[in-house]
Amino acid sequence: KRGLGGWQHGAEYRYITSNTQKGTIRGKLFRDNITGETLWKAGARHTQDLPNNFKFKGLLDLESRQSLNQVVNNNVEERTRRNTDSYASVNKIWDNSSFDILTRYRENTNNTQDDTLGELPKVTYKVQQTKIGNTPLYLNLDTSSAWFITDLKAQREDDFFFKTSRIDFHPQLTVPLALAPWLSMTSTVGGRETFYGRGLETNGSEFKKLSSFTRESLDFRSIIQGPKINKIYHSGTSSTKFKHLLEPRLTYNYVPDMDEEDRLKIKIFDSIDTIGTPSNSITYNFGQRLLKRFKTGANKFQTKQILRFNVSQTYDIREATQKKQSGEDRLPFSDLRFDLDSRPLESMIINTDATYNFETNLVKTFNFEAGIKPVDNLWIIMERRWAKDSSNFILGTVDLSVKPGWRIQYSTRFDELTSTFRENNYSVLYDNPCKCWGIKLDVFDRQVREYDNLRKDYTQFLFTINFRGLGQIKNRGGGTFLHREFEDTSFPNKNS
């Protein structure tokens, strides 16, 4: 139920016809008593193993022009989605290569727009790095062919369909060199040839279709790792040991400025179309890791990473050397990035990352996350996300399991800019000790701004009944809590 706006009805059918074939068919219908609109959503998912170790995966995603997700879905990712996405794929994987066929069709669900994107289909063959005979060289290959269709004019009353094909061929050679036991260098050079069945010239809101053409590109990357330094610390008389590693890395990337005239003809559909942009940069990464080795049994040991800290930055040589207009500043240094992930104890999480901008001499972003699990049946996670001149949020989740069978969760998102709780989510679960049935109640209270910039408040109640072996009776449009799990397998399962 969405406030007093109406009721949502849904149906779902699941099937498993064999160990290698299964799927789901579902549909939803919502009648909005306020606007009089009838919104709907239909979909299907199917996976199946085909002969000769090929695998099939398909998803059918259909929706009314006014998206049902924007009205009653509490999942943030689903609510902000503005298109349907249906696809079918067939793939096969060998020891060092893979083959994929993907057909995909996306359609806008905005009332005023009708832009589409189709890959009909895209065929990809990849060869992983493979040693060439007795030489020190390794070869890898990315090659693909694709056919695209899109509507370049998004407004419903105005269409301009553009179709093109693309064949891409990209081999690379890699040579690893051990300069010293503590220093290594790995260099990769590649060439790329891409054929386009049609080009596009854009002038404001006007488009002109061009004839076929090819784009050429070269790329070079060299990574120097080391000197690697480590020291081992002992924990008193205990068998536990700690290993501290220093791992500096220097990466040089170079793509020459070539074939600019043809690059300007490309209509960008995916990352392959953006390749060839000239680049000349050096990135340094100073990494530290702390590993813990402890005894788990007789003559049995386990090693875990309990801390990782990286400092990285890129120096753009092109920016530092190219001609500039009078009065223009050179800004060759990227933001300085700090990144810390740590698990000092199994019951504790401390993560943080930040970026520092040299142009303004100010901190640009700062994010902090802390979690604690003091006892087996309770964990708490708090996160603060901050970006300069932007909305900043504090997020928190509490998860408590009370035996026998009870579990309570609370999650919130606080907007520091407006001093407002944007979301408050509550969940109560009872899983009967007989392990044959369970019930769950979820309450979602949210304040959001829609695409039309109007604020709307939502309160939704979701009730779930689970009969093990028979299935579930519930509203599947429910949302999810804001945070990831604590990543501890000993905590009671979340099964409804």
Side-chain angles (χ1 to χ4, degrees), residues 212 306 324 356 369 373 403 409 418 424 441 486:
S212 61
I306 60 175
K324 289 281 188 178
Y356 179 82
E369 180 184 51
K373 183 170 177 275
K403 295 181 180 180
Q409 293 175 304
T418 61
N424 286 287
L441 174 66
F486 197 86

Side-chain angles (χ1 to χ4, degrees), residues 75-76 349 351 367-372 379-385 393-399 407 409-414 423 425 444 446 479-487 494:
N75 184 285
V76 175
I349 296 172
N351 300 327
N367 303 312
F368 177 80
E369 180 184 51
I372 188 171
W379 60 260
I380 303 169
I381 288 183
M382 185 279 291
E383 179 180 5
R384 182 174 187 262
R385 306 193 66 83
F393 295 95
I394 296 176
L395 304 96
T397 298
V398 179
D399 197 319
R407 187 171 189 177
Q409 293 175 304
Y410 169 69
S411 187
T412 187
R413 181 165 66 100
F414 179 76
E423 304 185 39
N425 305 328
F444 300 90
R446 295 184 175 173
T480 57
F481 286 114
L482 302 172
H483 286 75
R484 59 176 174 81
E485 296 297 316
F486 197 86
E487 300 174 356
K494 237 181 172 182

Side-chain angles (χ1 to χ4, degrees), residues 37 64-67 70 82 107-116 151-159 451-452:
E37 293 180 305
S64 55
R65 181 61 65 179
Q66 171 62 42
S67 174
Q70 299 173 27
R82 293 295 180 261
E107 187 174 20
N108 199 302
T109 55
N110 191 316
N111 267 329
T112 62
Q113 297 182 323
D114 65 350
D115 52 310
T116 59
D151 183 2
L152 298 176
K153 296 189 177 182
Q155 299 304 315
R156 296 192 65 182
E157 66 277 2
D158 195 5
D159 294 322
Y451 62 91
D452 55 8

Side-chain angles (χ1 to χ4, degrees), residues 1 97 261:
K1 187 176 179 181
S97 61
E261 184 177 343

Side-chain angles (χ1 to χ4, degrees), residues 223-495:
I223 301 175
I224 298 176
Q225 291 185 294
K228 294 184 179 179
I229 303 172
N230 70 82
K231 185 174 182 179
I232 296 177
Y233 299 89
H234 298 268
S235 178
T237 58
S238 170
S239 60
T240 301
K241 298 180 181 180
F242 296 90
K243 186 175 185 179
H244 182 208
L245 296 95
L246 301 179
E247 300 174 310
R249 184 173 71 246
L250 198 66
T251 303
Y252 175 66
N253 281 293
Y254 177 69
V255 177
D257 188 359
M258 57 186 295
D259 215 357
E260 180 181 9
E261 184 177 343
D262 286 327
R263 284 191 282 111
L264 294 175
K265 301 176 185 177
I266 298 173
K267 162 60 182 172
I268 296 175
F269 290 99
D270 57 30
S271 60
I272 291 178
D273 298 320
T274 62
I275 289 170
T277 302
S279 173
N280 190 9
S281 65
I282 297 175
T283 300
Y284 72 83
N285 186 306
F286 185 76
Q288 298 188 63
R289 289 193 296 152
L290 187 62
L291 308 178
K292 178 182 178 181
R293 184 176 183 265
F294 54 95
K295 193 172 184 178
T296 58
N299 298 319
K300 293 183 179 179
F301 294 87
Q302 185 177 355
T303 300
K304 285 188 176 182
Q305 178 175 284
I306 60 175
L307 182 144
R308 179 188 65 87
F309 178 64
N310 282 337
V311 179
S312 60
Q313 189 179 34
T314 297
Y315 179 77
D316 191 333
I317 300 174
R318 282 178 54 85
E319 172 68 16
T321 57
Q322 68 181 350
K323 292 182 179 180
K324 289 281 188 178
Q325 297 292 332
S326 178
E328 283 188 308
D329 294 329
R330 296 189 183 277
L331 304 171
F333 286 99
S334 71
D335 293 339
L336 182 63
R337 179 174 176 82
F338 303 88
D339 196 347
L340 169 70
D341 294 324
S342 66
R343 195 73 177 259
L345 302 172
E346 285 297 313
S347 59
M348 184 179 298
I349 296 172
I350 300 176
N351 300 327
T352 185
D353 63 82
T355 57
Y356 179 82
N357 187 280
F358 277 85
E359 181 184 0
T360 60
N361 291 322
L362 295 172
V363 174
K364 189 175 179 180
T365 63
F366 180 82
N367 303 312
F368 177 80
E369 180 184 51
I372 188 171
K373 183 170 177 275
V375 291
D376 287 342
N377 62 336
L378 170 69
W379 60 260
I380 303 169
I381 288 183
M382 185 279 291
E383 179 180 5
R384 182 174 187 262
R385 306 193 66 83
W386 180 89
K388 183 175 172 55
D389 300 325
S390 180
S391 295
N392 303 297
F393 295 95
I394 296 176
L395 304 96
T397 298
V398 179
D399 197 319
L400 174 66
S401 181
V402 183
K403 295 181 180 180
W406 287 96
R407 187 171 189 177
I408 303 169
Q409 293 175 304
Y410 169 69
S411 187
T412 187
R413 181 165 66 100
F414 179 76
D415 187 340
E416 294 184 59
L417 184 64
T418 61
S419 299
T420 303
F421 284 93
R422 293 294 187 186
E423 304 185 39
N424 286 287
N425 305 328
Y426 311 84
S427 178
V428 178
L429 162 70
Y430 176 71
D431 193 6
N432 191 276
C434 71
K435 300 300 180 183
C436 53
W437 66 275
I439 58 174
K440 185 179 181 183
L441 174 66
D442 296 309
V443 181
F444 300 90
D445 182 18
R446 295 184 175 173
Q447 299 179 4
V448 299
R449 287 191 180 275
E450 301 292 0
Y451 62 91
D452 55 8
N453 205 35
L454 294 177
R455 192 184 114 173
K456 297 182 181 179
D457 298 340
Y458 292 89
T459 300
Q460 187 172 21
F461 301 84
L462 304 174
F463 185 69
T464 303
I465 303 176
N466 181 63
F467 299 101
R468 284 185 171 82
L470 297 178
Q472 295 179 334
I473 303 175
K474 74 172 187 175
N475 182 335
R476 293 195 60 84
T480 57
F481 286 114
L482 302 172
H483 286 75
R484 59 176 174 81
E485 296 297 316
F486 197 86
E487 300 174 356
D488 188 290
T489 55
S490 65
F491 197 76
N493 291 330
K494 237 181 172 182
N495 295 333

Side-chain angles (χ1 to χ4, degrees), residues 21-140:
Q21 184 172 314
K22 61 182 179 179
T24 305
I25 302 172
R26 63 169 62 102
K28 297 178 184 177
L29 187 69
F30 178 81
R31 176 69 177 178
D32 195 323
N33 295 333
I34 298 176
T35 65
E37 293 180 305
T38 298
L39 311 180
W40 58 271
K41 179 177 175 64
R45 187 185 296 272
H46 180 82
T47 59
Q48 179 179 349
D49 288 355
L50 302 175
N52 299 315
N53 293 321
F54 282 88
K55 296 183 181 295
F56 172 85
K57 182 185 294 184
L59 175 70
L60 181 65
D61 183 17
L62 303 174
E63 232 180 294
S64 55
R65 181 61 65 179
Q66 171 62 42
S67 174
L68 181 62
N69 284 328
Q70 299 173 27
V71 177
V72 297
N73 200 317
N74 280 287
N75 184 285
V76 175
E77 182 179 350
E78 291 290 324
R79 284 187 58 83
T80 56
R81 196 179 67 149
R82 293 295 180 261
N83 55 68
T84 60
D85 190 358
S86 300
Y87 69 86
S89 68
V90 175
N91 80 293
K92 182 175 181 177
I93 300 175
W94 292 272
D95 290 340
N96 67 336
S97 61
S98 62
F99 177 77
D100 295 270
I101 302 176
L102 173 66
T103 299
R104 168 167 264 143
Y105 189 77
R106 300 174 184 171
E107 187 174 20
N108 199 302
T109 55
N110 191 316
N111 267 329
T112 62
Q113 297 182 323
D114 65 350
D115 52 310
T116 59
L117 173 62
E119 297 179 68
L120 308 168
K122 181 179 181 180
V123 182
T124 303
Y125 179 67
K126 295 185 177 183
V127 179
Q128 304 300 322
Q129 282 191 359
T130 304
K131 192 171 184 180
I132 304 175
N134 295 322
T135 71
L137 298 175
Y138 290 78
L139 171 70
N140 66 280

